[in-house]
Amino acid sequence: MAVDVPAFEPEAAIGMRPSHPAWRRLRKDPLALAGATLGLVIVAASALAPVLAPHNPDQLFTNGLTASGMPLGPSAAFPLGTDQYGRDELSRLLYGGQTSLAVAVSSAAFATAIGLLLGLVGGYLGGAWDNAIGRLTDVVMSFPLTLFAIATVLIFHPTVGSLIAVISLITWTYAARLIRAEVLVLRQADFVQAARALGATDGRILLRHLAPHVLPTAIVRFALSVAQSLLLESSLSFLGAGIQPPTPDWGLMVAQSEPYYATDPLLVFLPGAAILLTCLAFTYLGEGLRSALDPRGGEATV
Amino acid sequence: MTDGPFRLLSWTPGQTMVLERNPYYYRRGLPYLDRLTFDFGVDPSVGVLRVEAGQADLVGDGIPAADYLQLRSSPQWSADVATRPAIGVYLLALNTRVAPFNNLKVRQAVEMAINKRHLLQLLNGRGVVANGILPTTLPGFDGRDIPDLYPYDPAKARALLRAAGFPHGFSTTLGLGSELAGGDAIGTEVQADLRAVGIRVTLKPLPSEATAIANMPMTTYTWFMDYPDPADFVDGFTSCSAAVVGGSNPAFLCDHALDAAANAARPLPLGPARVAAYRRIDLEVMRDAAYVPLYYPLFTFFHSSRLRGYYVNLAWFPADYTTLSLAP
């Protein structure tokens, strides 16, 4: 039986026209707009850290501590004060964002790409392929996420590269399951049947007919995945299994300043707030994109 | 079985140890306490909170900087913070057997690159900048240190590295004693200071007892007095026979002239001549630049207001629990 599927609109995924209904829906969603703006500001600030940061983030300033060795509060020289080692807090926040976001965005991109590929293949080919991919997904999903990440990262000495690899290798399952479910429905659709009747190869059907249809889901999943990866990356760094000192990183900053929660709460609050705001921004953006890209109004669970 | 003031009642390795009063102790009426419980593996910050809450009576060394300053400035607790100069030294050992630290110029560069004053600032001044390997608190040393052969001078350190054939620096690893009091501060300071002259350092946290056996290019090292004599430091740090993996000479320094000088100094009678001989040895050790002395530490302890009779041994580390008592 054929399922009603909206006609393929390439614009829905790539290069949306300003008049496109999805774009109009997105513009009417204040939370999504706020998320997009906030996300853009945070990403831009981190990317422009070399220009914006007043100091070298790793420099220990002799005048960056009080005579008895306590961190300084905000001043003209150090706009957000200094950390417990006499380093400029603002510069560390900006560069820390670079590290945290580089890991989060790259992991999300890899995870979504792997999920997209495996979801398409499993959902379309079915049978043994689907079984194998499905069981692999179950196995990966059944691992306690953080514990698995800690174990893996500790085996392969923690670096930015190994963190990205580990996070993407355990978070691709979310995208894979979503895409597979969608492909299962789509492969019964008239236009796929028609393509098959016309003699199109499996590769052509996957790439030209199915992939563009599931791309909006992948984009939504990517935005949400950035938030998820950022949380995971920060947790690992907080636990000492992630980014290593002195590289600035938000999770590591929270961990290192934790003894100062009573005397200098700003040191814990600022990187914590950066993590929270970035996660919120990408989550709202993702949720907004989901309802905007779903012409039926969006009840799907992502 | 014991002839000491307490005997072991129970012990859960890594968690708790309970001692009880030894009724057969030879000193009449001592110890005062019936029972003494040690909790191991408690985060120092948590230890401070437990004393404040009345759940413990004593925290050992290693009060985190944030807590230390808060306690010192608190009218309620400042009287319960005890400090005393330790007869000991914190240093970096540069492995003279592996490149590039087998090059004297490289070692001298490291000596001049470390900003010890800033390090002590990070430690809230809980120590004295060290110029040599012999603590100035040793008997007969009168608090005087040897002259500083390597004043902090990053520009000169870079020049030395260039002269040694490392115009772009190099990468290396620092074995960092992980339960070392102030270890975070030492790691951060050394990493940042060496980065400033071109040496990229990866920190490798190790159990403190493993720093001697890990055979790292660079490692933190500490020594506290076992017996009141400079030979306790010199023989361990510098003798060729100790320059083995697992020995007490993690720089693997083997200088036969130093060995001869140590052999000549050891039998000297107590007095100014002996002190002078060891000061000369200290200077010679510094000329080899195998150890980067960081500071002579100050021990800090935080105890409950009801704790009485708390004395700290000068030799080694532990406190004497025989005379402890609790005010009613």
Side-chain angles (χ1 to χ4, degrees), chain B residues 240-257:
Chain B
C240 293
S241 56
V244 291
V245 171
S248 54
N249 180 350
F252 298 97
L253 174 64
C254 182
D255 176 339
H256 293 288

Side-chain angles (χ1 to χ4, degrees), chain B residues 135-197:
Chain B
T136 55
T137 36
L138 274 169
F141 280 63
D142 302 328
R144 284 186 300 122
D145 208 345
I146 55 168
D148 189 1
L149 293 187
Y150 307 105
Y152 174 56
D153 191 343
K156 203 158 175 202
R158 275 190 294 270
L160 279 164
L161 282 178
R162 262 196 309 280
F166 295 97
H168 308 296
F170 55 89
S171 298
T172 186
T173 305
L174 170 67
L176 187 63
S178 52
E179 63 276 12
L180 196 68
D184 283 351
I186 295 175
T188 306
E189 183 72 44
V190 169
Q191 210 175 24
D193 287 345
L194 292 185
R195 188 73 196 86
V197 300

Side-chain angles (χ1 to χ4, degrees), chain B residues 76-127:
Chain B
Q76 189 184 357
W77 304 115
S78 62
D80 300 324
V81 179
T83 61
R84 76 159 174 86
I87 307 189
V89 62
Y90 276 58
L91 13 75
L92 295 181
L94 309 178
N95 191 336
T96 55
R97 278 197 192 153
V98 300
F101 294 115
N102 53 3
N103 185 326
L104 178 65
K105 284 200 174 72
V106 171
R107 300 201 299 268
Q108 288 171 333
V110 174
E111 298 268 4
M112 302 194 110
I114 307 291
N115 188 347
K116 300 176 192 175
R117 273 175 217 295
H118 191 265
L119 173 60
L120 276 174
Q121 212 182 348
L122 294 184
L123 297 164
N124 323 109
R126 284 184 277 178

Side-chain angles (χ1 to χ4, degrees), chain A residues 115 118 132-149 166-180 221 228 301-302:
Chain A
L118 293 182
I133 293 172
R135 296 301 77 75
L136 181 66
T137 313
D138 291 342
V139 168
V140 174
M141 284 196 101
S142 65
F143 279 125
L145 211 68
T146 318
L147 202 64
F148 179 68
V166 165
I167 295 177
S168 40
L169 283 179
I170 50 180
T171 55
W172 59 266
T173 52
Y174 299 89
R177 281 160 57 106
L178 278 174
I179 305 281
R180 173 184 173 270
R221 185 54 228 168
Q228 187 192 18
T301 37
V302 172

Side-chain angles (χ1 to χ4, degrees), chain A residues 184-203:
Chain A
L184 278 182
V185 175
L186 282 173
R187 74 175 198 188
Q188 307 293 337
D190 288 344
F191 70 96
V192 177
Q193 303 291 359
R196 194 174 292 143
L198 287 170
T201 60
D202 284 346

Side-chain angles (χ1 to χ4, degrees), chain A residues 54-69:
Chain A
H55 300 289
N56 173 347
D58 295 335
Q59 192 177 345
L60 311 179
F61 288 93
T62 311
N63 60 350
L65 293 168
T66 65
S68 56

Side-chain angles (χ1 to χ4, degrees), chain A residues 22-213:
Chain A
W23 184 242
R24 270 189 275 117
R25 276 196 292 272
L26 189 65
R27 269 187 308 181
K28 283 197 202 126
D29 183 346
L31 273 181
L33 278 188
T37 317
L38 188 60
L40 201 67
V41 169
I42 294 172
V43 170
S46 306
L48 293 176
V51 184
L52 294 175
H55 300 289
N56 173 347
D58 295 335
Q59 192 177 345
L60 311 179
F61 288 93
T62 311
N63 60 350
L65 293 168
T66 65
S68 56
M70 282 301 278
L72 297 179
S75 66
F78 306 108
L80 290 178
T82 57
D83 72 359
Q84 68 271 36
Y85 300 118
R87 301 179 292 207
D88 180 46
E89 182 72 3
L90 175 62
S91 307
R92 287 194 74 74
L93 272 177
L94 290 169
Y95 277 96
Q98 242 177 27
T99 321
S100 301
L101 282 170
V103 174
V105 171
S106 319
S107 319
F110 283 123
T112 313
I114 299 172
L116 184 63
L117 183 73
L118 293 182
L120 274 171
V121 170
Y124 178 71
L125 294 181
W129 282 96
D130 193 27
N131 261 331
I133 293 172
R135 296 301 77 75
L136 181 66
T137 313
D138 291 342
V139 168
V140 174
M141 284 196 101
S142 65
F143 279 125
L145 211 68
T146 318
L147 202 64
F148 179 68
I150 292 173
T152 325
V153 160
L154 289 181
I155 294 167
F156 307 101
H157 188 73
T159 62
V160 169
S162 69
L163 262 184
I164 294 174
V166 165
I167 295 177
S168 40
L169 283 179
I170 50 180
T171 55
W172 59 266
T173 52
Y174 299 89
R177 281 160 57 106
L178 278 174
I179 305 281
R180 173 184 173 270
E182 212 161 313
V183 172
L184 278 182
V185 175
L186 282 173
R187 74 175 198 188
Q188 307 293 337
D190 288 344
F191 70 96
V192 177
Q193 303 291 359
R196 194 174 292 143
L198 287 170
T201 60
D202 284 346
R204 186 179 166 87
I205 293 174
L206 274 172
L207 279 178
R208 300 295 296 271
H209 297 279
L210 290 176
H213 262 282

